[in-house]
Amino acid sequence: MMGLTRRVGGSDAALLLATAVVAVSVALAALTSPDADLESRARAIEAQLRCPTCQGLSIADSPATSAAQMRALVREQLAAGASDDEVRAFFVARYGRWILLAPPLGGPDLALWLAPVVIVAAGVTLVVHRARSRERTQPLRRWAALPVGPGSRLSTVLIGGAMALALAVPIAAAVGPRLIGAEISGGAVPRTAPSIEDLEAFVRAEPRDVAALVALGDALLAADRAGEAADRYKAALELDPNNVPALLSVGAILLAADRPDAAGPVFDRVLALSPDQPDALLYRAVARLRLEGEVTEDVRGDVARFLAVTSPDDPRRAMAQGLLEDSAASLAPSASSGPGSPQP
Amino acid sequence: MIGALGLAVTIAGAGSALIGTYAAIGAGHSRWSAEAPVRAAWCAFVSLAAANIIMVVALVARDFSIAYVAQVGSRETQLLFTVASLWGALEGSILFWAGLLAGVAVMLAQRTGDPDDRARVPGALAVLLALTAFFALIVVGPGNPWRPLSPVPLDGPGPNPLLQDHPLMAFHPPLLYLGFVGLAVPFALTVDALVRGRLDDAWLRLARRWTLGPWTLLTLGLVAGAWWSYAVLGWGGYWGWDPVENVALLPWLTATAFLHSAMVGRRGGLLLTWNVALVTASFALTLFATLVTRSGVLDSVHAFTRSAIGPLFVGLLGAVLVGMVGLLVLRLPEASGQGRLGARGQAFLVNNLLLAAVAATVLVGTVFPLLVEAVASTRVSVGAPYFERVVGPLAAGLLVLVGIGPSLPWGRWSPTARRALVPGAVVAAALAGALVVLRLDAGAVAGAAVGTFALAQSIWFIGRRLLRGEPGLARPGLRISGVSTRAIGGLVSHVGFAVLALAVVASATGKRETVVPLTVGGSAEALGRTVSFIGREERPGPNRTVIAARLRIGGGAGTVELTPALNVFRTSTQAIATPAIVPGVVDDLYVTLLDLDTATGVATVRVGAHPFVSWIWPAGALIALGGLLALAARPLARRSGIVASSKDATRPVVASESALDVVGR
């Protein structure tokens, strides 16, 4: 202990203390960072996605219309409960790897991430090697033989090493999990659907965000608050009359409220926008069946189209075939199962 | 007619440059008079300057019978941008480049007065004039801008609309070009030193001095480019890590590394190979930048071979690299130093390691998509998220060094050096603690801490020097002229770099933005301010329609009226947003008009608060000012006995301080 105090002068103590304060501050900032809310997650993802019509800008920065559409998609998916990785994967599936502004750490482009590490390591090796070979030509000095005192090289190395370690550990702790969590496993952000309160706050902040309105409607519907949900969907449709998820949900609510006469035109509109929308085909068939009371050619046509566009393992196929057997007139779509939740 | 004249003058320039090269090689072997290549350089410069002037005349006269004018000109373009379109496209920029090269060749010949340095001029002129000839011959041959068109078009498309929106665009490219071309001079001096085996201190001093000017211009050019991006593109940022930006940054990084490592070399003949590598890399990277930005390789690797100019540039680049490696291998035994680095030298070594790592990483990140496309035929992007994550830690290391390096002795480590770190460390610790209380995120805290450390230390070093004078020349009192400006210059650049880093950290981590839709007469809350949409304006411009939204923004510091606009150019489908910016000491208010729907009358407006961005431009100017101060200092060799003898041709000179270091052991 005495030796240590002799080695460390007043200015060294001040330096060590200052370094420790910085290190603790960085560590504290990393540990106390607020949990990622929907907004900050959306912004983080938007900064990583490339605007397809711009030159190297992210969709977060770009003023282009296509970027605005992609931002809406990101928010819509996050609001529906997708994880960050799933949202990125969605865009990669649509546009290819090119859409990510930085290749993922674990992917085929790992070499890119290794490059800086290799470059620095090579530089350090070269410098150390040169220094060694120069040392060899001069009388070798051993650490043990070094005088110990405030001016010695040993104390510089000791103090410098302590400072470097103190700084490196919290920075690694701050950055490491984020890198590993977000890039490799994607497990840093738990996959939970945002709460109704979250979404309501979000919608209050951005009252014209159609995707958020729809997501809030979905959440309310899932909580069996169909009336409130319908209001949100209507608000969304006022902003964007052609929003397919909102139209589908409104139609489903009308069906559930036993208003097949009003539900039919809603599904007609969806199918005018997107002729092969399977949910709309199925629900229009149900609506027509209830309205007519029998299996008409129209119902058959919708069911046939539904069967043609869905994959063979779709669970709703049995229900669709049941419709044709006329025994299913009592079938009412459960509002939480189909519409609103985006098809993967 | 004017086209034929231009072509004739260009051919005369190329011819003079070729003759000059031959004469310069001859003068190197003392067969020709040393004045012959200088006269040839003058001829080449006058001819090529005339060619550039003729092209400007043709552009201003809108002589669409000349291919280049028809390609970039337009009757509606304003005069400033018409002149600027000289360097706006491939052929014109190469013509401009050739003229500048001949210009720096003449400058080198005229400004080198010292008889010993004068001996290096013919060799360097040979290299510079050969390069001039290469560029001039491209303009005569495969990239001929003077081709006559028939029938003569009535009008042209005009320059890229993005490039005619802001006066900065008329200054940013020529500043960069001047910097690029200027870096050919230290390269030429290095080739001469290698060929004649005179890789000594005098070479290093000259090469460093001729790097300072181009480095200063490059700094200004990069900052002007960033400023233009911020003021014109409307995305709220200033550096997008776009390939075009990256390749312009690369030579600046290596030149910065050289400015530092040359100081080590001068004090012990160390790192000579490394210095040669840095000078070569800086020059080669200017060629690479031109190649990348002008060949169309960025759009796709497959666009590369559309013009013969791309392959020619690759050939030149390959020749430069192979030639330099060959020369180094031949001269290596003579080029190894014997001195000891000392504490400051070791700091410079780490500085170079970090700067080289930044440059190498940026280079890898920029060419990676091209490599993947060439090999795997798929496209990937490498953009801001990658560069920020990788360059951030390296830049933090550089900032720490900025705070430590200048306090270190050239000899051994000493406790005094550690004592000099206390002020900055205390300030940084205080700030870091305060920022944690404000709940900033870890990256912001770490960045602010290292930035403040660098800033406080640099200001402290400057103050100490101004008050105490140079160590060793202990005469108290203010000393700004003469001896002091060189060191002060470096420290001023450090202050600029630290302020820049702090502003970048603040704007990257503290940016706030929100998008509001507005109808005429309506208002909305955004970032704690009230934004009201007063009305819509439409102004027909000379070559565009400007649609603007008049907004009144209240709250915060008073009420302002802003008119962010959208420019719709007749010759282009893309609309360009001109943001309205209210610069502030803490926050810039940055308002962009994203959309103004004609049917519904709804204006979609993005309101952003960008912290500390307005500090970036003066910080960049401060970095450049440091370069100017260092240039203003008297050349080192003539003021002290540190450089023992520059006539001892092949042996590097061991400086006095390293000698002291040896004695001290």
Side-chain angles (χ1 to χ4, degrees), chain B residues 443-620:
Chain B
V445 174
V450 289
T452 320
F453 176 66
L455 180 60
Q457 286 293 107
S458 302
I459 293 174
W460 160 244
F461 294 148
I462 292 180
R464 218 171 46 165
R465 262 179 194 277
L466 286 181
L467 294 173
R468 283 198 211 152
E470 296 265 306
L473 295 164
R475 214 179 65 196
L478 281 173
R479 301 163 59 86
I480 304 182
S481 62
V483 176
S484 285
T485 46
R486 175 193 322 280
I488 294 289
L491 290 172
V492 166
S493 289
H494 282 180
V495 170
F497 174 55
V499 174
L500 180 77
L502 283 170
V504 167
V505 168
S507 65
T509 56
K511 182 166 103 173
R512 289 170 299 144
E513 273 181 344
T514 183
V515 176
V516 285
L518 290 164
T519 46
V520 177
S523 60
E525 290 290 316
L527 305 179
R529 299 170 202 254
T530 315
V531 184
S532 325
F533 184 14
I534 303 168
R536 171 198 156 92
E537 275 176 15
E538 202 162 310
R539 301 188 293 263
N543 51 357
R544 68 186 95 170
T545 310
V546 181
I547 304 165
R550 277 208 298 141
L551 305 173
R552 183 177 294 128
I553 300 191
T559 303
V560 281
E561 254 195 49
L562 299 175
T563 45
L566 281 170
N567 296 281
V568 184
F569 286 83
R570 243 159 272 161
T571 48
S572 162
T573 49
Q574 70 188 111
I576 292 160
T578 304
I581 307 171
V582 185
V585 176
V586 178
D587 269 339
D588 272 13
L589 177 64
Y590 192 100
V591 183
T592 322
L593 179 62
L594 297 181
D595 186 31
L596 190 51
D597 197 317
T598 36
T600 59
V602 174
T604 313
V605 175
R606 181 158 71 186
V607 183
H610 299 266
F612 290 106
V613 174
S614 49
W615 288 81
I616 291 177
W617 332 124

Side-chain angles (χ1 to χ4, degrees), chain A residues 264-338:
Chain A
V266 176
F267 296 126
D268 286 345
R269 190 140 130 224
V270 174
L271 291 167
L273 294 167
S274 147
D276 286 333
Q277 216 298 325
D279 294 312
L281 288 167
L282 185 59
Y283 293 142
R284 186 165 74 177
V286 173
R288 281 172 171 170
L289 190 60
R290 292 231 209 117
L291 210 56
E292 310 283 337
E294 57 174 342
V295 179
T296 59
E297 271 314 299
D298 286 341
V299 176
R300 272 183 215 288
D302 281 349
V303 171
R305 282 257 296 288
F306 174 80
L307 292 174
V309 297
T310 48
S311 66
D313 51 349
D314 192 305
R316 291 169 300 172
R317 290 174 75 92
M319 175 179 134
Q321 275 151 351
L323 283 183
L324 298 182
E325 283 144 31
D326 198 12
S327 63
S330 63
L331 262 180
S334 77
S336 58
S337 73

Side-chain angles (χ1 to χ4, degrees), chain B residues 268-331:
Chain B
L270 288 163
L271 304 177
L272 284 178
T273 318
W274 178 238
N275 279 321
V276 171
L278 283 178
V279 172
T280 310
S282 302
F283 172 70
L285 285 170
T286 65
L287 292 181
F288 179 71
T290 318
L291 168 73
V292 165
T293 49
R294 294 298 186 195
S295 67
V297 72
L298 285 178
D299 302 322
S300 162
V301 222
H302 311 297
F304 176 65
T305 45
R306 253 180 243 157
S307 143
I309 299 179
L312 277 171
F313 260 90
V314 171
L316 176 62
L317 197 56
V320 165
L321 293 179
V322 170
M324 289 309 275
V325 169
L327 276 173
L328 262 181
V329 168
L330 280 176
R331 295 293 181 188

Side-chain angles (χ1 to χ4, degrees), chain A residues 47-295:
Chain A
Q48 295 165 2
L49 293 174
R50 183 186 190 123
C51 158
T53 56
C54 320
Q55 236 192 6
L57 278 190
S58 73
I59 60 168
D61 290 328
S62 167
T65 334
S66 57
Q69 286 162 354
M70 282 172 69
R71 282 198 298 270
L73 269 174
V74 169
R75 277 149 204 270
E76 188 178 317
Q77 299 207 1
L78 284 179
S83 74
D84 295 7
D85 274 354
E86 284 169 335
V87 177
R88 280 191 286 261
F90 169 83
F91 285 100
V92 170
R94 266 196 173 185
Y95 296 93
R97 276 194 288 164
W98 176 79
I99 203 72
L100 294 179
L101 272 172
L105 249 181
D109 305 314
L110 186 66
L112 180 69
W113 289 100
L114 290 181
V117 181
V118 171
I119 289 163
V120 172
V124 170
T125 316
L126 200 74
V127 168
V128 169
H129 175 77
R130 279 205 56 145
R132 284 256 174 83
S133 62
R134 206 169 22 240
E135 285 271 303
R136 267 200 296 279
T137 64
Q138 293 167 357
L140 196 72
R141 294 194 294 172
R142 294 180 190 285
W143 289 115
L146 276 175
V148 174
S152 75
R153 188 164 163 192
L154 179 61
S155 59
T156 297
V157 169
L158 280 178
I159 290 167
M163 284 164 51
L165 200 68
L167 277 180
V169 169
I171 289 174
V175 180
R178 228 188 284 169
L179 274 180
I180 296 162
E183 304 284 344
I184 294 178
S185 71
V189 183
R191 193 205 155 146
T192 48
S195 68
I196 292 174
E197 290 71 38
D198 269 1
L199 286 165
E200 269 173 346
F202 194 75
V203 165
R204 264 198 302 279
E206 309 242 345
R208 293 180 61 91
D209 190 328
V210 174
L213 281 168
V214 173
L216 178 55
D218 292 345
L220 287 165
L221 199 57
D224 275 337
R225 288 155 71 178
E228 291 167 70
D231 289 342
R232 305 301 182 183
Y233 291 128
K234 276 177 195 153
L237 287 172
E238 265 166 33
L239 295 169
D240 176 10
N242 295 333
N243 186 294
V244 169
L247 283 169
L248 281 175
S249 298
V250 167
I253 292 171
L254 286 168
L255 259 189
D258 207 17
R259 295 274 313 278
D261 53 324
V266 176
F267 296 126
D268 286 345
R269 190 140 130 224
V270 174
L271 291 167
L273 294 167
S274 147
D276 286 333
Q277 216 298 325
D279 294 312
L281 288 167
L282 185 59
Y283 293 142
R284 186 165 74 177
V286 173
R288 281 172 171 170
L289 190 60
R290 292 231 209 117
L291 210 56
E292 310 283 337
E294 57 174 342
V295 179

